[in-house]
């Protein structure tokens, strides 16, 4: 019975698309909560407008990593504002059936593919424009009305088995059962 439950749990967990690590200095994909500039969740207030993305913490100058195998569709301009030129760049991407954008990232290339975990760009110097903010990558779906929150989890809290190792038949029973029933 336990085995069946574990199998169902594994099938269920693999069903949902989740972003892997996005920033080299943020192994948990920790989301920006609140600072003097505002809050990082989808729908947060931005002076009469709504924040149409999720902010993932990332220190200035960090490597930005492909969260899964991605196709680069091009670079983008975030603000088109000379006062924000230092961070006015981002990347259009697709992967895992999702179309999304990363803001405040300088791409290392503007076409082709990048494997999961490989570098796709560099976090731009956000502190130079928004001093004291929690520096972050803004993740926005191509359909801005779509909330990307469900694609993120705290990678240090939820233990999603990786396809490469734990899902190999025979290694299946190495799972830490109490972990799932706690
Ligand atoms: C990339 O995103 C920008 C900003 O949303 C958009 O204007 C541009 O058309 C997109 N380019 C590609 C190639 O998808
Ligand atoms: C965009 O996303 C919203 C919210 O999920 C959905 O209602 C709408 O149909 C989507 N628009 C397109 C063009 O897919």
């Amino acid at each position: 019975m336990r085995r069946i439950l574990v199998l169902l749990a594994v099938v269920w967990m693999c069903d949902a698309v989740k972003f892997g690590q996005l920033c080299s200095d943020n192994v948990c994909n920790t989301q920006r909560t609140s600072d003097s500039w505002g809050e990082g969740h989808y729908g947060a207030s931005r002076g009469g407008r709504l924040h149409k993305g999720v902010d993932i913490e990332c220190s200035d100058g960090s490597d930005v990593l492909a969260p899964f195998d991605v196709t680069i569709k091009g670079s983008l301009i975030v603000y088109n504002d000379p006062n924000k030129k230092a961070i006015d760049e981002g990347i259009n991407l697709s992967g895992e059936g999702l179309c999304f954008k990363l803001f405040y990232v300088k791409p290392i290339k503007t076409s082709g593919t990048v494997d999961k975990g490989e570098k796709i760009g560099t976090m731009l110097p956000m502190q130079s424009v928004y001093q004291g903010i929690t520096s972050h990558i803004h993740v926005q779906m191509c359909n801005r009305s779509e909330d990307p929150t469900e694609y993120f989890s705290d990678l240090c809290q939820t233990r999603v088995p990786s396809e490469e190792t734990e899902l190999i038949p025979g290694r299946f029973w190495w799972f830490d059962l109490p972990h799932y029933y706690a």
Side-chain angles (χ1 to χ4, degrees):
M1 188 59 189
R2 273 198 155 188
R3 290 184 179 200
I4 291 166
L5 284 174
V6 170
L7 181 60
L8 286 174
V10 169
V11 168
W12 176 77
M13 280 187 289
C14 292
D15 206 23
V17 175
K18 290 286 181 192
F19 274 61
Q21 185 180 351
L22 202 49
C23 176
S24 61
D25 84 334
N26 181 1
V27 295
C28 305
N29 270 358
T30 302
Q31 297 180 34
R32 172 189 177 211
T33 51
S34 180
D35 55 49
S36 58
W37 291 93
E39 296 178 4
H41 63 85
Y42 185 89
S45 173
R46 286 290 184 277
R49 292 178 300 115
L50 294 180
H51 181 236
K52 297 288 195 178
V54 163
D55 294 343
I56 302 299
E57 294 185 8
C58 191
S59 299
D60 296 1
S62 298
D63 288 349
V64 177
L65 312 174
F68 30 71
D69 293 352
V70 294
T71 299
I72 300 177
K73 293 160 66 185
S75 62
L76 63 87
I77 295 167
V78 177
Y79 301 107
N80 200 17
D81 177 347
N83 295 321
K84 295 176 179 170
K85 196 169 172 35
I87 60 168
D88 207 359
E89 228 178 323
I91 320 179
N92 294 350
L93 293 163
S94 64
E96 294 281 346
L98 304 178
C99 176
F100 61 102
K101 296 159 194 290
L102 304 178
F103 288 8
Y104 319 123
V105 177
K106 184 173 190 58
I108 57 163
K109 58 180 184 178
T110 53
S111 63
T113 60
V114 180
D115 292 345
K116 177 177 180 174
E118 299 294 323
K119 182 174 178 175
I120 47 175
T122 304
M123 178 68 200
L124 289 166
M126 204 170 208
Q127 296 301 317
S128 71
V129 175
Y130 299 110
Q131 199 183 0
I133 202 168
T134 307
S135 288
H136 61 270
I137 300 163
H138 169 97
V139 182
Q140 181 174 297
M141 306 312 288
C142 295
N143 174 358
R144 294 173 75 240
S145 302
E146 195 189 327
D147 179 353
T149 306
E150 66 174 295
Y151 304 125
F152 288 90
S153 54
D154 181 340
L155 298 179
C156 300
Q157 289 299 317
T158 50
R159 189 163 163 277
V160 178
S162 83
E163 286 174 43
E164 294 80 9
T165 57
E166 294 176 67
L167 292 184
I168 295 167
R171 299 196 54 185
F172 195 64
W173 310 113
W174 291 99
F175 281 118
D176 170 17
L177 286 176
H179 178 88
Y180 289 109
Y181 294 99

